[in-house]
Amino acid sequence: MTIQTAPLTEAATSHLIRLEVNELDVQVHYNDCGAGAETVVMLHGSGPGATGWANFHRNVDAFVGAGYRVLLLDCLGWGKSDPIVCTGSRSDLNAQTLKALLDALQLDKVHIVGNSMGGHSAVAFALSNPARVGKLILMGGGTGGPSQFVPMPTEGIKLLQGLYREPTIENLKKMMNVFVFDPGSMTEALFQARLDNMLARKDHLENFVKSLAANPRQFPDQGSRLGEITAPTLVIWGRDDRFVPMDVGLRLIWGMPNAELHIFNRCGHWAQWEHADKFNRMTLDFLAH
Ligand SMILES: O=C(O)/C=C/C(=O)/C=C/C=C(\O)C(=O)O
């Protein structure tokens, strides 16, 4: 059953909470949308200016309308969450942050939708908290590690790192130009919102650069442990992903016993935005059956 509701807003769903993560007392921001017996957590990617809302604003209403409670977690180092320099595995750090949030909200089990870094983090969470995962949806991410076909770092990741180092509108447009299949779909308003997000938190940008210098492998290869994840998993990739190549998705379904893969044609690194309607229909069907 689909419930029609007025579109949600970032401001109306915004919450700050203090959590203990890795023995650190930190403030974390999340959006809490809708109400439902089952909860879906959405984890954003690692681009400059990314947040839960920026990554998933085309998806939240559909999930809430389908009767789910949706949590958008801003990882430490993004959005209104506290700054951090991460010298270890960022996938694990995000997984620990998610666990602390779920403990605080007394949520035993959730479904997780992860975009890029969010996918790596969802897998890290499933490995350390298997009983707390219902289903997984991984887009353009799930594990760091090599592509068999594409030199790494990819052109997209090089542009992303360049944008962190020099956060200008020119560098943002260069990155966005290879981010999606059809850059013509990006409006000036979207560029400006993303630039404003980035420049509002220069500490996050500087910390990302420091983190990379301390540990270039922020997202370790989790490939050897994928077989441990038995949660039903839908892997979604863009055929034209120039950030995390599609064969990483093949590695995921090779390793995860209950995973299946959908590849969108004419799609870059942002399937949930570039093909939002079909993405919403497909993922809601996967969660329901
Ligand atoms: O380096 C990786 O494996 C992961 C890269 C990302 O997480 C890139 C994500 C970019 C976004 O989702 C964004 O909105 O900027």
Side-chain angles (χ1 to χ4, degrees), residues 165-214:
R165 294 194 177 94
E166 281 182 56
T168 62
I169 186 77
E170 292 76 24
N171 283 345
L172 174 64
K173 287 185 175 175
K174 270 189 207 158
M175 186 191 92
M176 290 308 213
N177 192 41
V178 306
F179 193 54
V180 293
F181 174 77
D182 175 14
S185 61
M186 308 231 116
T187 60
E188 284 302 319
L190 193 130
F191 286 132
Q192 196 55 51
R194 192 65 190 242
L195 188 69
D196 292 346
N197 265 4
M198 280 164 43
L199 297 180
R201 293 302 301 259
K202 287 200 174 147
D203 54 341
H204 287 339
L205 307 183
E206 288 159 13
N207 285 341
F208 190 91
V209 175
K210 286 181 196 161
S211 303
L212 266 185

Side-chain angles (χ1 to χ4, degrees), residues 3-270:
I3 305 158
Q4 290 298 331
T5 52
L8 295 156
T9 64
E10 198 285 323
T13 56
S14 172
H15 296 266
L16 289 166
I17 189 168
R18 292 217 77 87
L19 299 173
E20 191 183 311
V21 178
N22 266 348
E23 298 179 2
L24 290 174
D25 173 39
V26 290
Q27 179 165 263
V28 167
H29 176 262
Y30 66 101
N31 297 91
D32 194 345
C33 312
E38 294 181 46
T39 299
V40 178
V41 175
M42 296 185 176
L43 297 175
H44 62 81
S46 70
T51 62
W53 198 267
N55 273 201
F56 296 108
H57 61 268
R58 289 190 169 180
N59 317 107
V60 174
D61 287 310
F63 278 69
V64 168
Y68 292 98
R69 179 180 181 185
V70 177
L71 299 176
L72 306 177
L73 166 63
D74 287 352
C75 296
L76 289 169
W78 277 272
K80 288 174 260 183
S81 291
D82 269 356
I84 196 158
V85 174
C86 176
T87 57
S89 160
R90 201 181 279 276
S91 312
D92 285 341
L93 173 68
N94 296 339
Q96 287 152 2
T97 310
L98 175 58
K99 178 177 181 303
L101 179 66
L102 299 186
D103 288 348
L105 300 180
Q106 299 183 314
L107 289 166
D108 281 343
K109 199 167 192 165
V110 293
H111 307 298
I112 308 178
V113 178
N115 173 38
S116 198
M117 169 183 80
H120 308 337
S121 309
V123 164
F125 181 85
L127 287 172
S128 47
N129 306 278
R132 299 188 73 170
V133 177
K135 293 184 179 179
L136 291 173
I137 297 166
L138 309 173
M139 299 101 65
T143 180
S147 160
Q148 302 303 308
F149 304 111
V150 179
M152 290 177 118
T154 55
E155 58 174 333
I157 295 298
K158 282 186 187 168
L159 290 171
L160 177 151
Q161 294 180 358
L163 180 57
Y164 268 107
R165 294 194 177 94
E166 281 182 56
T168 62
I169 186 77
E170 292 76 24
N171 283 345
L172 174 64
K173 287 185 175 175
K174 270 189 207 158
M175 186 191 92
M176 290 308 213
N177 192 41
V178 306
F179 193 54
V180 293
F181 174 77
D182 175 14
S185 61
M186 308 231 116
T187 60
E188 284 302 319
L190 193 130
F191 286 132
Q192 196 55 51
R194 192 65 190 242
L195 188 69
D196 292 346
N197 265 4
M198 280 164 43
L199 297 180
R201 293 302 301 259
K202 287 200 174 147
D203 54 341
H204 287 339
L205 307 183
E206 288 159 13
N207 285 341
F208 190 91
V209 175
K210 286 181 196 161
S211 303
L212 266 185
N215 174 22
R217 290 176 193 251
Q218 293 279 303
F219 307 116
D221 191 345
Q222 306 180 107
S224 65
R225 294 193 60 198
L226 292 174
E228 295 171 38
I229 301 177
T230 54
T233 301
L234 176 58
V235 180
I236 296 177
W237 231 271
R239 182 200 63 181
D240 312 286
D241 191 329
R242 291 153 81 177
F243 278 67
V244 183
M246 199 191 71
D247 64 288
V248 176
L250 293 174
R251 284 181 66 209
L252 293 177
I253 57 161
W254 178 256
M256 298 169 82
N258 293 315
E260 58 195 86
L261 172 66
H262 180 91
I263 300 170
F264 277 106
N265 203 344
R266 303 170 67 83
C267 180
H269 192 52
W270 237 17

